[in-house]
Amino acid sequence: MSEQQIVYSFAWFEPDEWQKLKETVEDPDTLDDSYQEWRQNAENVIRELRAGGQQVKKISIKISKLLVWCESRSLKPNSKARSEYAAFLAQQRNK
């Protein structure tokens, strides 16, 4: 029996979406101060995971859709919800 490879879904934001994220989420203080800082940190995490043999997929997030998804599930748009949404999108794409 072979082990199934875990694929990590990493919420990925374009600059304009990242700015919307900072303006609309419940926990903006947990985010980096700038998009450039966030992107550098995100790429470092992805690189470390991949160096450790993990598979990582960047999941592009649109804030308007994230907010609708959160509202439909009575979730606050915080880091936990963003992670769950990225996993949800990855799962939808694999159907």
Side-chain angles (χ1 to χ4, degrees):
M1 184 182 254
S2 65
E3 279 188 45
Q4 189 169 5
Q5 175 74 34
I6 295 173
V7 178
Y8 290 90
S9 302
F10 200 96
W12 193 258
F13 304 95
E14 295 302 321
D16 58 331
E17 292 296 321
W18 191 84
Q19 189 57 44
K20 289 178 195 172
L21 176 71
K22 290 272 292 183
E23 295 168 359
T24 58
V25 295
E26 177 186 78
D27 56 351
D29 55 316
T30 65
L31 300 170
D32 293 310
D33 291 331
S34 70
Y35 176 78
Q36 292 76 18
E37 185 180 347
W38 170 80
R39 185 172 176 145
Q40 182 177 352
N41 289 333
E43 288 177 345
N44 287 341
V45 169
I46 291 170
R47 194 172 14 265
E48 287 174 16
L49 286 169
R50 287 179 175 159
Q54 303 301 321
Q55 269 193 306
V56 181
K57 268 193 174 178
K58 294 178 183 177
I59 305 296
S60 184
I61 304 292
K62 297 288 184 198
I63 301 308
S64 59
K65 291 181 179 182
L66 166 67
L67 295 175
V68 168
W69 184 86
C70 285
E71 187 175 320
S72 73
R73 287 160 177 76
S74 299
L75 298 173
K76 295 182 179 182
N78 56 26
S79 62
K80 184 175 188 276
R82 292 190 296 273
S83 295
E84 289 176 16
Y85 182 61
F88 168 79
L89 288 180
Q91 202 172 36
Q92 293 301 304
R93 292 175 186 169
N94 289 332
K95 284 187 175 183

